[in-house]
Amino acid sequence: MALQFIGIDPNTGDDESPTVWVDQEKQELVLQGWKPAPELEAECAEFTIPGHAVGIPEHEAVIRIPARMVPMIREACDAVERADVR
């Protein structure tokens, strides 16, 4: 795996570190965030989207990322697009 570090929450402390990376080989964003409160996760699991099953599959997770990290997520999106050689 060729991870490219993009950034970490600028307000991070010793115990919290929402982070953004790009997996250059798979051309994917990799995000580390906060676990949602049970109420938020339940609300996401109950959300209905046409053509999709209700719930959160075992192999997926809901995470929270602070809005102040949007510039890092944009940078990661740009990095993935630049690496797209398909």
Side-chain angles (χ1 to χ4, degrees):
M1 181 181 309
L3 278 184
Q4 175 187 352
F5 173 77
I6 300 296
I8 191 167
D9 179 3
N11 292 1
T12 195
D14 292 336
D15 297 332
E16 299 182 357
S17 54
T19 307
V20 178
W21 298 271
V22 169
D23 181 330
Q24 295 174 330
E25 290 176 11
K26 293 184 179 180
Q27 297 178 331
E28 297 174 341
L29 302 182
V30 179
L31 304 174
Q32 176 181 329
W34 300 307
K35 292 180 180 180
E39 301 81 19
L40 177 58
E41 189 167 35
E43 184 177 348
C44 291
E46 293 171 5
F47 202 81
T48 304
I49 300 170
H52 290 273
V54 174
I56 301 167
E58 266 310 300
H59 64 279
E60 295 182 7
V62 173
I63 63 167
R64 296 171 39 242
I65 298 286
R68 62 184 165 264
M69 292 181 67
V70 166
M72 290 174 214
I73 295 168
R74 283 190 185 116
E75 181 180 342
C77 291
D78 291 344
V80 167
E81 286 182 337
R82 282 192 303 272
D84 188 4
V85 291
R86 288 184 240 162

